[in-house]
Amino acid sequence: MTVRVRFAPSPTGMFHVGGARSALQNWIYAKQQGGVFVLRIEDTDAARNKPEWTEGILSALDWIGISRGSYEGPYFQSANAGEHRAAAARLHDSGRAYYCDCTREDVQARTGSQYQGYDGYHRDRGLGPGPGHALRFRTPDEGVTVVVDLIRGEPTFENKLIEDFVIARGDGSPVFLLANVVDDMTMGITHVIRAEEHLPNTPKQQLLWEALGVKPPIWAHVPVVVNEKRQKLSKRRDKVALEAYRDEGYLAGAMRNYLMLLGWAPSGDREIVPWSVIEDEFRLDEVNLSSAFFDEKKLRAFNGEYIRALPVAEFIDACQPWLTGSGTIAPPPWQPEEFDADAFAAVAALAQTRITVLSEIVPNVDFLFLASPLIDEAAWAKTMKDGSAELLDAAVAAFETLESWDAESLKSTLEAVGAERGLKLGKTQAPVRVAVTGRTVGLPLFESLEVLGRERTLTRMRAARLRLV
């Protein structure tokens, strides 16, 4: 039997990081088993679907390494609507489903509770199809439904506790439960790997598989992804869009690595490992049962490690969208023609050790490409105090006559200026840094001055001195 797994997102918004994890788990499992990964777009909610969301799914999968052309699909659920309706008709004709025109208020009036499920009122009343007549599955009165789950063992559900659930709406359109089952049958899906939030629906879907005469797939329900409050990650409340992390400057490799650790870990006391190791070692039956905490701080630290591991040339290439304004949410504060590739290359290795996401490159190097620095007023107020004017005058005078404009000479010269005033280098260089870069923190000062050049450095120091008058 050829293993066939599927990833079936809905194009109703940005691509959820939890969905990205499920896609990767399915992808790896298919590769390990020599099987097939199928992409199905569940697009039957026409009111919420947009073509750009579908493209967003494809682009996000491309980014994390599941590239177009390497999987089967994408298929679209809406194209299988005829099969969905045919399956509903077969279930009705075989007596496994019946029509019901009860409203929620009707059920509540009979049961006396808004929390009680449907009471089977129309099971044997022979109601036919018609406007407002929903089709309900006739759940067995006795016995149990056993779900074979690679992660959770064999969860068992008493059939008498499963209400006769709706499989087609009053207008005849099948609901998600039935459409999902029919699609999986049509596509020959053998394993369904998805989040545990779908587990309550699984006995219903398994009953549908059996009623339609097809052996159910093997299930694997991975732990739900939660935030720091142990609440399920929500699009309305949490930062969950994979595209947002991509656009902020997270590396695909770091994101892949981190997502695969949500509920699973490689062998040994390690977390940051090559993707080949993850592909080789990942096992569904080793996935934890407890909820998986999506820790953005930890992800950011992961990303910093991945950035620092890049060869400098690759780091320079990776930064280009933020430096040139292409493909990023916010353009840089300089014009394209102001960007100096050689100047950036000169400081790239220094910047690489100081950032954790690629978008941080802009405030670290903007002083190199602007006519004048962007002054952080809080930094100015904190640094430019009594004595700063005199210190800048002395530093300008010393720098003007400096024979060799290199980092070592600049450092020793400023150290001497400070020593004459009883100041250590840290105190001496603070006003110079703010005058030249606009900030109190950033790249190593003297290497920065070397790249900026004598003329631009002195111009900025003089401008700062005039502001202190």
Side-chain angles (χ1 to χ4, degrees):
M1 176 187 70
T2 299
V3 167
R4 289 176 63 84
V5 302
R6 50 77 165 173
F7 177 58
S10 299
T12 55
M14 303 295 276
F15 194 50
H16 197 291
V17 291
R21 181 194 62 165
S22 292
L24 288 169
Q25 290 170 332
N26 276 277
W27 174 257
I28 290 177
Y29 188 76
K31 290 189 70 174
Q32 289 176 338
Q33 304 299 318
V36 178
F37 176 94
V38 178
L39 176 62
R40 182 173 74 233
I41 306 297
E42 299 198 332
D43 63 338
T44 52
D45 188 351
R48 298 175 62 203
N49 295 339
K50 295 181 180 180
E52 55 266 35
W53 296 136
T54 296
E55 177 56 34
I57 291 170
L58 300 178
S59 296
L61 289 174
D62 279 342
W63 182 65
I64 60 171
I66 304 176
S67 57
R68 295 174 226 211
S70 65
Y71 50 79
E72 190 176 301
Y75 298 111
F76 291 86
Q77 189 172 66
S78 57
N80 212 24
E83 289 294 328
H84 303 157
R85 290 179 179 269
R90 290 200 304 275
L91 290 169
H92 177 259
D93 293 344
S94 66
R96 299 304 303 271
Y98 61 91
Y99 285 101
C100 169
D101 64 357
C102 293
T103 64
R104 183 173 299 176
E105 290 73 23
D106 292 336
V107 176
Q108 183 176 337
R110 285 198 303 273
T111 62
S113 171
Q114 61 178 315
Y115 303 108
Q116 211 161 322
Y118 179 68
D119 58 356
Y121 179 77
H122 274 291
R123 262 193 165 212
D124 301 305
R125 294 180 180 269
L127 185 67
H133 294 189
L135 189 63
R136 288 183 178 272
F137 182 76
R138 189 186 299 270
T139 303
D141 295 319
E142 300 178 346
V144 296
T145 296
V146 179
V147 173
V148 178
D149 193 297
L150 293 177
I151 295 171
R152 298 172 188 278
E154 296 186 354
T156 301
F157 302 84
E158 291 188 67
N159 291 334
K160 66 181 180 181
L161 300 180
I162 303 174
E163 69 173 2
D164 289 356
F165 52 92
V166 173
I167 59 175
R169 304 177 185 86
D171 62 2
S173 60
V175 302
F176 164 79
L177 284 173
L178 179 60
N180 192 267
V181 166
V182 172
D183 289 343
D184 285 347
M185 288 180 180
T186 303
M187 297 173 185
I189 301 304
T190 62
H191 294 69
V192 173
I193 305 167
R194 59 187 182 180
E196 67 175 306
E197 64 197 75
H198 296 288
L199 184 58
N201 287 330
T202 305
K204 298 177 182 179
Q205 291 181 309
Q206 183 154 312
L207 286 169
L208 287 171
W209 277 81
E210 293 167 351
L212 289 167
V214 182
K215 182 181 178 181
I218 295 173
W219 311 91
H221 289 89
V222 300
V224 69
V225 182
V226 298
N227 62 18
E228 59 185 3
K229 296 180 179 179
R230 296 307 187 266
Q231 301 168 319
K232 178 188 170 185
L233 284 185
S234 166
K235 290 182 178 180
R236 293 183 298 273
R237 181 185 56 239
D238 303 303
K239 181 180 173 182
V240 301
L242 189 70
E243 298 94 324
Y245 289 99
R246 177 193 63 196
D247 293 343
E248 191 177 344
Y250 284 82
L251 298 179
M255 180 61 77
R256 279 199 306 268
N257 189 162
Y258 183 71
L259 288 176
M260 288 302 297
L261 298 182
L262 297 177
W264 174 81
S267 62
D269 185 20
R270 55 184 181 162
E271 292 184 310
I272 297 178
V273 295
W275 184 244
S276 59
V277 171
I278 293 176
E279 286 188 318
D280 181 60
E281 293 192 1
F282 176 70
R283 297 292 183 272
L284 277 174
D285 59 6
E286 294 177 358
V287 172
N288 297 325
L289 296 179
S290 56
S291 299
F293 171 35
F294 187 89
D295 186 346
E296 188 178 346
K297 291 180 180 178
K298 185 173 182 179
L299 170 60
R300 201 176 188 95
F302 257 58
N303 201 64
E305 292 291 333
Y306 269 80
I307 285 176
R308 288 186 284 278
L310 290 174
V312 175
E314 289 185 22
F315 172 72
I316 291 173
D317 288 343
C319 289
Q320 292 308 303
W322 288 269
L323 298 172
T324 61
S326 60
T328 61
I329 295 174
W334 56 81
Q335 296 301 312
E337 61 273 12
E338 295 177 299
F339 175 66
D340 185 335
D342 291 336
F344 177 66
V347 299
L350 300 173
Q352 187 174 1
T353 65
R354 286 165 170 76
I355 67 173
T356 54
V357 292
L358 294 175
S359 58
E360 290 176 344
I361 196 62
V362 172
N364 272 276
V365 302
D366 59 5
F367 71 95
L368 287 173
F369 313 122
L370 297 170
S372 57
L374 298 173
I375 300 294
D376 179 341
E377 294 300 333
W380 180 277
K382 179 181 178 181
T383 304
M384 298 302 193
K385 297 182 178 180
D386 292 344
S388 293
E390 179 189 5
L391 183 61
L392 286 174
D393 283 338
V396 167
F399 286 169
E400 281 178 327
T401 58
L402 194 61
E403 288 188 14
S404 178
W405 190 265
D406 59 76
E408 192 59 41
S409 299
L410 288 162
K411 179 182 178 182
S412 59
T413 299
L414 196 59
E415 275 184 317
V417 170
E420 291 175 0
R421 290 156 181 78
L423 299 174
K424 293 184 177 180
L425 181 60
K427 291 287 187 181
T428 308
Q429 70 178 10
V432 176
R433 178 182 290 280
V434 172
V436 175
T437 71
R439 298 179 176 86
T440 54
V441 295
L443 304 185
L445 176 62
F446 302 108
E447 287 80 355
S448 298
L449 299 185
E450 179 179 340
V451 175
L452 189 65
R454 187 193 306 264
E455 182 179 346
R456 296 175 71 193
T457 297
L458 294 176
T459 296
R460 293 181 184 194
M461 292 173 66
R462 291 181 183 120
R465 174 64 181 86
L466 289 175
R467 184 175 173 179
L468 290 171
V469 171

